[in-house]
Amino acid sequence: MLWRRNLFAPLAALALALTASAGAGTAAAATDTTVVATAPAASAADDFGAPGPYATAVEVGAITTLYYPRDIADSDRRHPVIVWGNGTGGVPLVYRDLMLHWASQGFVVAAANTPMSNLGISMRASIDMLTGRNADPGSVFFDRVDLEHIGASGHSQGGAAAIVVGSDPRIDTILPIQPGPLANINAVRVPALLLAGQRDSIVFPALVKAFYNAADHIPALYGEVRGADHFTVVGDPGPFAAPTTAWFRAHLMGDRTAHAQFFGPGCGICTDTATWSDVRRNGLALNVPAATP
């Protein structure tokens, strides 16, 4: 596929560069390794782009890299899950900043290590793995993972994988970022936020709009990030951090402030023309009521 060949080279090169600069212990490895990140400051309730209140940790396994609240074993709550798929040729390290941002907000992020994620096999396996870890009294995740609230996301080929995995009954919402074309959104039965980049010359906005237009059977939103190209989300996620966090907080944590960013007459992203060049909500999304106080 031409889109795969065009994407593979820059993502692979970037992954190698980031791996070299990150040093030992953060790249994907065959054995589990735990790396503790610097504790972030607590964010304001409505500043979804700011670091959350949780210090974070990273565990690199053979199939999955986990990003999660560092003190999860001592947490007084269960933490929702986000499963992630990489773009073609990419590894979780390429998207490390976004994964750590979500973890700081209280999510357990299970990022599939595979550079060819389209079928979603490793993403489904991540859910199976966390199910086992949650049931293991010897695991730091024991009884601390909220397996009733799971979202799927990914970039490019991984965005297509998020759509593929969206047919899994364990998934509660999907958030494909600039998704490649090899997916069928008609099989998805959960709310979707589909993100495009205004200046994306690899996955053109029209391709993402096609998924949105086909998603007339679920509440679906289309957001086109102003000025973003295909690699804006790589490294520092910039304008992608806040809306993706808000979407998952709304759907996996029941955050009413986050919910108001997308639904009801006061829809926050609908009037934020500095961030968005185009925002669309289908009929079912328009019928989702504003969150009650």
Side-chain angles (χ1 to χ4, degrees):
M1 294 289 179
L2 180 58
W3 71 274
R4 287 185 175 179
R5 291 199 300 270
N6 287 344
L7 180 56
F8 178 84
L11 264 184
L14 181 57
L16 289 172
L18 287 174
T19 301
S21 64
T26 55
T31 57
D32 286 352
T33 306
T34 300
V35 180
V36 177
T38 303
S43 64
D46 59 350
D47 186 1
F48 302 108
Y54 294 94
T56 56
V58 183
E59 180 184 303
V60 184
I63 297 175
T64 305
T65 297
L66 296 175
Y67 301 82
Y68 59 95
R70 183 183 65 194
D71 298 325
I72 192 168
D74 300 317
S75 178
D76 61 356
R77 53 167 294 186
R78 293 183 178 89
H79 294 263
V81 176
I82 301 171
V83 292
W84 172 265
N86 306 304
T88 306
V91 295
L93 181 61
V94 171
Y95 306 97
R96 180 177 185 272
D97 288 358
L98 181 59
M99 307 296 102
L100 287 174
H101 180 74
W102 288 342
S104 80
Q105 293 280 341
F107 297 98
V108 176
V109 184
N113 290 337
T114 176
M116 301 297 287
S117 59
N118 209 136
L119 296 179
I121 295 170
S122 295
M123 294 167 71
R124 295 177 196 268
S126 298
I127 302 175
D128 297 337
M129 179 269 290
L130 280 173
T131 300
R133 298 284 291 274
N134 187 62
D136 179 4
S139 168
V140 297
F141 297 99
F142 176 59
D143 200 31
R144 295 298 88 194
V145 183
D146 183 358
L147 295 166
E148 297 300 315
H149 295 93
I150 303 176
S153 187
H155 175 234
S156 198
Q157 184 180 155
I163 297 172
V164 171
V165 173
S167 64
D168 190 306
R170 298 172 292 183
I171 297 295
D172 296 289
T173 187
I174 63 171
L175 198 166
I177 301 173
Q178 297 159 301
L182 302 181
N184 177 13
I185 204 165
N186 292 320
V188 176
R189 292 293 180 269
V190 294
L193 172 60
L194 296 139
L195 297 185
Q198 183 186 23
R199 298 180 179 172
D200 192 340
S201 59
I202 294 175
V203 176
F204 297 107
L207 296 175
V208 185
K209 286 177 187 172
F211 278 126
Y212 166 77
N213 291 333
D216 56 1
H217 60 295
I218 56 175
L221 286 77
Y222 169 82
E224 187 177 288
V225 178
R226 184 175 297 281
D229 63 26
H230 196 67
F231 299 102
T232 298
V233 73
V234 172
D236 179 354
F240 288 91
T244 58
T245 300
W247 182 263
F248 283 129
R249 286 188 66 91
H251 287 86
L252 304 181
M253 292 180 173
D255 186 322
R256 292 192 296 270
T257 301
H259 180 93
Q261 291 295 306
F262 308 100
F263 301 108
C267 164
I269 69 169
C270 299
T271 56
D272 181 7
T273 56
T275 302
W276 307 97
S277 52
D278 191 359
V279 171
R280 305 181 185 198
R281 299 188 291 173
N282 70 6
L284 292 176
L286 287 170
N287 287 334
V288 174
T292 56

